[in-house]
């Protein structure tokens, strides 16, 4: 069964859903938001490009604000004038991809970026 892409959630429903599914995200001024701390401008650009790719593939476009060492992602469905299932699903996908730490997974050949070497730093993981 397809979910109604324009059904909006109340602030209480959004807060409850974020607490369970996306604890690093918050509701503020009608948007769900997450700030990713990065280690450098290179990391900031990598986050922006990752979010851009996921958003374009999903055909749902966030607002972004960026500086040298952080990126804020804001989601709200403009056409529905509120937070919808599309916002939650895109936030979850962004969280999965941007927050991925291959070096922490069991039984993986992917070691992740070298820890402690600022030349290779990317995201400051929560």
């Amino acid at each position: 069964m397809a979910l109604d892409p324009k059904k909006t959630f109340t602030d209480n429903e959004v807060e409850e859903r974020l607490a369970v599914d996306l604890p690093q995200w918050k509701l503020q001024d009608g948007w769900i938001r997450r700030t990713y701390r990065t280690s450098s401008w290179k990391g900031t650009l990598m986050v922006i490009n990752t979010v851009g790719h996921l958003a374009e593939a999903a055909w749902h476009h966030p607002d972004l604000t960026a500086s040298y060492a952080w990126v804020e992602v804001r989601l709200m469905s403009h056409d529905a004038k509120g937070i919808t299932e599309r916002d939650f699903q895109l936030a979850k996908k962004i969280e999965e991809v941007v927050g991925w730490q291959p070096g922490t997974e069991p039984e993986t050949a992917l070691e992740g970026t070298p820890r402690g070497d600022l030349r290779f730093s990317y995201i400051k993981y929560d």
Side-chain angles (χ1 to χ4, degrees), residues 17-27 32-37 73 91 95 99 124-126:
R17 181 90 176 260
L18 293 177
V20 171
D21 295 335
L22 295 158
Q24 301 296 331
W25 291 69
K26 65 183 176 184
L27 175 65
I32 59 173
R33 301 166 181 251
R34 166 78 150 102
T35 298
Y36 292 96
R37 294 174 304 119
V73 179
E95 193 70 9
K124 292 186 177 177
Y125 296 105
D126 296 324

Side-chain angles (χ1 to χ4, degrees), residues 8-109:
T8 59
F9 293 89
T10 67
D11 286 355
N12 285 340
E13 290 171 324
V14 171
E15 301 251 359
E16 288 173 11
R17 181 90 176 260
L18 293 177
V20 171
D21 295 335
L22 295 158
Q24 301 296 331
W25 291 69
K26 65 183 176 184
L27 175 65
Q28 184 182 359
D29 300 325
W31 300 80
I32 59 173
R33 301 166 181 251
R34 166 78 150 102
T35 298
Y36 292 96
R37 294 174 304 119
T38 64
S39 297
S40 67
W41 182 241
K42 174 182 74 174
T44 295
L45 291 177
M46 292 173 79
V47 170
I48 290 169
N49 286 326
T50 300
V51 171
H53 166 72
L54 296 171
E56 190 63 23
W59 198 244
H60 186 45
H61 304 97
D63 279 24
L64 302 174
T65 303
S67 189
Y68 176 81
W70 58 268
V71 178
E72 182 186 51
V73 179
R74 292 181 307 282
L75 291 165
M76 187 254 298
S77 294
H78 299 283
D79 59 344
K81 297 179 178 62
I83 306 301
T84 69
E85 186 62 35
R86 290 178 296 181
D87 301 300
F88 288 120
Q89 288 185 16
L90 182 54
K92 187 140 181 112
K93 184 56 68 179
I94 291 167
E95 193 70 9
E96 288 170 8
V97 176
V98 171
W100 180 48
Q101 296 181 59
T104 63
E105 295 178 334
E107 299 185 40
T108 181

